[in-house]
Amino acid sequence: MLHCGVIERYREHLPVTESTHVISLNEGSTPLISAPNLSKAIHPRLDVWFKFEGLNPTGSFKDRGMTMAVTKALEEGFKAVICASTGNTSASASAYAARAGLKSVVLIPEGKIALGKLSQAMIHGAIVVQIKGNFDQALQLVRAITENHPIALVNSINPYRIEGQKTGAFEIVDDFDGRAPDFHVLPVGNAGNITAYWKGYREYNEAEKARNLPRMLGFQAAGAAPIVLGKPVKHPQTFATAIRIGNPASWAAAEKARDESGGLIDMVTDDEIRAAYKMMAATEGVFAEPASAAGIAGLIKVAQQGYFDDKEPFGGDRLRAVCILTGHGLKDPDSAIKAAEEPHTVEANEDAVLEAIGLCEPVTV
Ligand code: F0G
């Protein structure tokens, strides 16, 4: 069967009509990948799965929401879209806008977005405005601008973004034949995604397509953890630049998802994120960006605190956790190169190569 995008796949759950002209890049239907090595390392009764959202068309989960937001912007007669972004939203917005024939404007914090994401916005023809400030300030600016100008705001405060992103929950439940995971693990930045997933699980449960609901486990970076600390962070800091956010727009909805699901929102240090980032790539062969690793780091942290010891699975005899790997590792090559060992540089002869790879002693003449 020809692969289609999330609006076609889940049309009956989304606010579109027969006459809606759908703008899609065939996003969604991303794979659930088992993580046996990580599972073994984390907890004896836990099966960890990755939902690799880095395999979406622009390399992040944003495409699920952007197909809806841009489709509706076009339907409502807008000629341009705008967003504030730590990078991925700008990449996605500019790609979908290009496809729809709309102009796109993206506001990003100067010097704090990963190279791959910046290159995407540029090549898709967005007007890229780097502000001398952070994401929270950029979001304030685009909110103000769209109040007075006819430009569609495509940040996750746009309800269509949440509608599109909730399809991730549908896919997970469908892949597990109607069973939601016991734990849904994800990084939290502006808090749109945790809001969307919880909405998706609840709607699927109400439609009797999911037999149970997961506990939502969200993780912020310690230097950018307003929800955990209970107050905005004026100068958020973390090497996971995607979640470098101090005043999330969907703060209240994230707390609701946490509380209604019986889950938690906690924080992890940059060192913990870095360790998880390397571990995922080195032990499971899956390369996700640093922000995605915050979820894995959190899972490891709470497991070590005994969080899973008294939990029971919904079905079967093993607990199941799905971790959303929100963005592809290739988005941020600089972080990978900094985190890993440097390549060997040697002369172009066999002895030098053998020496570099530890297969023989250097030959001396
Ligand atoms: N992971 C990645 C890779 C992200 O790009 C983001 C958010 C998140 C996690 C957090 O998701 O904001 O829904 O809680 N990126 C936004 C952006 C802010 O502008 O690309 P959230």
Side-chain angles (χ1 to χ4, degrees), residues 168-197:
F170 300 165
E171 288 179 13
I172 293 169
V173 173
D174 286 346
D175 280 354
F176 286 142
D177 295 323
R179 175 183 164 188
D182 300 299
F183 309 98
H184 179 98
V185 182
L186 80 176
V188 174
N190 209 27
N193 213 26
I194 189 169
T195 303
Y197 267 102

Side-chain angles (χ1 to χ4, degrees), residues 60-62 84-90 117 135 155-156 161 165 187-194 242-243 245 289 291-292 326-327:
S60 85
F61 71 95
K62 306 287 179 179
S85 184
T86 57
N88 281 322
T89 301
S90 68
K117 305 173 188 181
F135 170 85
N155 279 105
S156 58
R161 280 278 311 279
Q165 282 173 218
V188 174
N190 209 27
N193 213 26
I194 189 169
I243 51 171
I245 294 174
E289 67 169 282
S292 308
T326 46

Side-chain angles (χ1 to χ4, degrees), residues 27-360:
E27 60 295 313
S29 302
T30 54
L32 269 177
I33 304 172
S34 69
N37 302 318
L38 202 65
S39 302
K40 223 175 281 164
I42 293 183
H43 196 274
R45 286 196 305 131
L46 185 69
D47 288 332
V48 179
W49 295 77
F50 297 149
K51 185 157 177 70
F52 196 10
E53 289 289 278
L55 295 181
N56 275 298
T58 78
S60 85
F61 71 95
K62 306 287 179 179
D63 295 345
R64 293 181 184 279
M66 209 54 75
T67 180
M68 271 303 311
V70 170
T71 291
K72 295 306 269 191
L74 191 67
E75 190 170 76
E76 290 166 10
F78 286 99
K79 299 279 182 274
V81 302
I82 190 169
C83 66
S85 184
T86 57
N88 281 322
T89 301
S90 68
S92 186
S94 51
Y96 282 79
R99 195 167 174 93
L102 300 176
K103 284 205 169 75
S104 60
V105 181
V106 305
L107 263 68
I108 54 174
E110 186 189 24
K112 297 289 185 191
I113 93 164
L115 197 63
K117 305 173 188 181
L118 179 62
S119 73
Q120 288 177 287
M122 290 167 67
I123 200 73
H124 289 305
I127 300 175
V128 179
V129 183
Q130 311 199 59
I131 66 156
K132 297 179 192 304
N134 61 31
F135 170 85
D136 304 292
Q137 293 166 296
L139 186 60
Q140 256 180 7
L141 286 165
V142 296
R143 280 180 125 145
I145 290 166
T146 51
E147 266 171 33
N148 300 314
H149 300 274
I151 308 179
L153 182 59
V154 294
N155 279 105
S156 58
I157 45 179
N158 177 332
Y160 296 126
R161 280 278 311 279
I162 303 294
E163 289 299 307
Q165 282 173 218
K166 77 185 180 187
T167 60
F170 300 165
E171 288 179 13
I172 293 169
V173 173
D174 286 346
D175 280 354
F176 286 142
D177 295 323
R179 175 183 164 188
D182 300 299
F183 309 98
H184 179 98
V185 182
L186 80 176
V188 174
N190 209 27
N193 213 26
I194 189 169
T195 303
Y197 267 102
W198 182 236
K199 185 170 201 283
Y201 283 120
R202 275 191 14 241
E203 286 184 10
Y204 235 37
N205 185 239
E206 277 154 27
E208 296 183 358
K209 291 184 176 175
R211 295 191 294 278
N212 60 315
L213 290 167
R215 291 175 194 265
M216 303 296 287
L217 311 185
F219 296 96
Q220 302 196 292
I227 299 176
V228 182
L229 302 173
K231 57 176 194 302
V233 175
K234 196 144 187 235
H235 301 292
Q237 287 305 341
T238 168
F239 98 109
T241 51
I243 51 171
R244 186 175 164 271
I245 294 174
N247 192 9
S250 299
W251 188 321
E255 288 185 335
K256 200 161 161 255
R258 175 194 67 194
D259 298 341
E260 285 180 2
S261 74
L264 54 84
I265 297 178
D266 200 349
M267 60 186 178
V268 284
T269 65
D270 274 12
D271 282 349
E272 289 169 326
I273 297 173
R274 210 171 278 114
Y277 172 62
K278 291 167 75 170
M279 186 175 179
M280 256 190 312
T283 66
E284 299 289 6
V286 176
F287 185 23
E289 67 169 282
S292 308
I296 310 297
L299 189 70
I300 295 170
K301 176 181 172 179
V302 299
Q304 283 170 350
Q305 293 169 342
Y307 179 77
F308 297 109
D309 297 350
D310 64 350
K311 301 293 188 296
E312 291 304 323
F314 172 76
D317 55 358
R318 293 181 59 75
L319 296 165
R320 201 177 266 176
V322 169
C323 302
I324 306 303
L325 301 188
T326 46
H328 202 290
L330 290 172
K331 290 271 191 176
D332 188 359
D334 294 331
S335 287
I337 287 168
K338 267 191 216 132
E341 278 203 22
E342 271 189 39
H344 305 269
T345 305
V346 301
E347 293 300 327
N349 66 63
E350 191 176 328
D351 286 343
V353 173
L354 288 174
E355 187 195 341
I357 63 179
L359 284 186
C360 73

